[in-house]
Each structure stands twice: as structure tokens, then as C-alpha cells.
Amino acid sequence: MSGIAEIQSRIADIEARIAQFTGTTGQTLATTLSTSTSAASGEFANVLSSTGSGVAGAVSRGTRVLNDAALGGGSTGQRLLDVASQFKGVPYKWGGTTPSGFDCSGLIQYAGKQIGLNLPRTAAQQATVGTEVPSLDQARPGDLVVLENGHHIGIYVGNGQMLHAPKTGDVVKISKVWETPMTIRRLGTTAATTAAGVGVAATLLSGLGGTSATDASAYVRPASLSTGATSRSAPYESAFTAAEQKYGLPSGLLRAVAKQESGFDPTARSHAGATGLMQFMPATARSLGIDPTDPFASIDAAGKYLSGHLKTFGSVSLALAAYNAGAGNVKKYGGVPPFAETQNYVKKITADLGSAA
């Protein structure tokens, strides 16, 4: 047995072994995996946690995650596309590298940074990263499409179209790929990425009484389905994790706050004038030195802001109350203020965290 047939046989074996475990064991595996620095392990951990005793049903999804960590292609490129798509409508700005304005390569470099990719600055330099895709017919969403003899670059979205920052007077948008690309580049196929995926597989399999790291690589199968974001939070997951680690916050706190504040909508605006993914009031955003419409800057600022409240008040509940109603009100009432909105806010977020905080 060899090739895809062998891989599918091994996947069936891992599914059978996971099916024997209880929800508690599945949660234990999830906890173990979530300690890894690999983004793939964190996503797989979430899959296991969410299914409890139905862990077996998660494996087909989990193996796609592992595949993308090990073999690149869909996941890295799709995550790049997911992030870059948030900036549709942003004005073109020659030399622009931030959400206040992008040029073609600035958009790609900025989006790459949000998912942990250190991409070069110019289109000509970006035309050399990753591995080459032979033709547009074989391109996948998330591949880099290089046009105009290396002077223009965009991100393929499928159906002969790409997302790009076109020219002065225009905005980030989706357009037809108007010429045969000079080159098409697929991200995520480095040796380091492969090692990360194999490491995740090895961790999982060792928890199942499994196999060596070398054998683990055989459990990673070629993707047959796009692995784009499974929810509106997907483009921001790595940013949530990074900010939580940077500011010493409980895992999942920033995601839960964003869910409550804006439903993961970076264009949200409240009746009171709060703006963006993390819903900062203009004065607060100015004090933090951020553009609240930049979701990634807002996530980092929210981490810093909540960390300050946590140090001041000593509990997650009170830090959340201060985020919602202001530190002055928490001090005034000596706890969570008696406002229905604030009390419900704290309850919903701490429920999402799975703790009384």
C-alpha cells in the first residue's frame, strides 16, 4: 500500500483510536496540544475541545489543519487572503504599508505580518518567495500573482480574479487577472512549516499510544478542501494569542471580548461612537495612539488596556467591567457597577472563558 491509499488507511486508524476516548481524555489532549507554539496545534486543540466525547468526528478537520501546517498551500495562503480581504476599500497609496493606505506589495506585507509571515517589501522581492505554481489553472486562493514584469502583485481569490491594491485614485479590491502572470507563488512550504505540522501530529499520536515523529508525518494528507476561516474570528486568532501572551492575559480573553464588542466586525460602530473590532471610543483610541479601524492595532491595544485594568483591580471580572463602563465606575461602586449592560457584558464574556473569573 502506498500514496494516498496508505495515508487514508493511517487516518482511519487514528480516527478509530480517538473514538475510544472519553470527552475528558479528548479535553486533556486538547490542553496538551494548546501548549504548543504551533498555530496548527492551537486550532486542532480548539477542534478537540469543542467536540468533547465526539472527538472522532473532529479528526477529519484536524488532519486538514495538520496538512496545512506540514505541506503549506491552502492554509497559509488562505489566511493571508482572509486578512487582506478585511482591507477592501482602503485607498491606494504609493509606498503605503498600513491600513491608512496600501500599495500592492504593502498590502501583502502587512497582511503577512498579521499571520506571522516576514515577507519582503517590494513586488519584485515577493515574486521570489514560496514555491512556483506552473499556471493560473493550478492556482489556489491565497497564491501570490505577479504581473507587469514583477511591478505589480496581488492575491489570487479564484475564478481568474485577484485581490490587490491597483493604482493611485483606486482602492483595495478584487479584479480580473488581466494578463498571464510572470509568476505565481505559493506560500507555506518551508522546512520549518513542515516540521511544525509533523510536531503537532507527533504530539497527538503520542497521546494515543501512537508512533514516532517520523511515522507521524505519514498521517498528514493532501488537502482536498479549502481550509479558509471557519468563523469571522479566524483572521484574528493569531493576533489574539500574540497579544494575550505579550500582556499576560488569560487565553481566549481577547477573542471573547471581540465577540461581545463587535461580533468580529472591524467596521462596527456603536450608537455611542465606539469603533472597530474592539470598540474603542475616539478619545481612548487617541490615548492609546491607534487607529481603531485597524483590527490588529486594536487587538494589541485592547490587550494593553485590559492588562492595565487587570493589574489595577486584580480580577478579570473587574478588568472587563472597567473596559465596558470605565475604571472610574468600578472604583466608585467598589466592584462591577450596577448597570445591566455592564453586568451582562461581564457574565457573557466570563461564560465564554468557562470561568467565574
Side-chain angles (χ1 to χ4, degrees), residues 11-33:
I11 290 171
D13 177 49
I14 195 173
E15 288 173 343
R17 283 194 257 170
I18 290 182
Q20 299 171 8
F21 284 83
T22 65
T24 301
T25 303
Q27 180 63 51
T28 300
L29 281 172
T31 302
T32 300
L33 285 170

Side-chain angles (χ1 to χ4, degrees), residues 73-88 102-115 117 119 123 126 129 136 139-147 152-166 172-178 181 183-187:
S75 181
T76 301
Q78 185 66 57
R79 285 189 294 128
L80 181 74
L81 177 58
D82 289 338
V83 171
S85 295
Q86 302 295 321
F87 303 111
K88 283 189 288 188
F102 287 116
D103 63 18
C104 64
S105 56
L107 169 66
I108 291 171
Q109 185 187 51
Y110 184 86
K113 183 178 179 181
Q114 310 317 312
I115 63 169
L117 291 178
L119 296 174
Q126 291 171 2
V129 301
L136 200 62
R140 300 176 187 167
D143 290 345
L144 302 182
V145 181
V146 184
L147 307 175
H152 190 68
I153 192 166
I155 306 173
Y156 192 63
V157 300
N159 299 318
Q161 297 183 307
M162 69 179 187
L163 177 76
H164 66 144
V172 175
K173 65 182 182 181
I174 294 175
S175 303
K176 181 180 178 181
V177 179
W178 60 84
T183 185
I184 302 167
R185 314 299 296 189
R186 181 159 298 156
L187 302 173

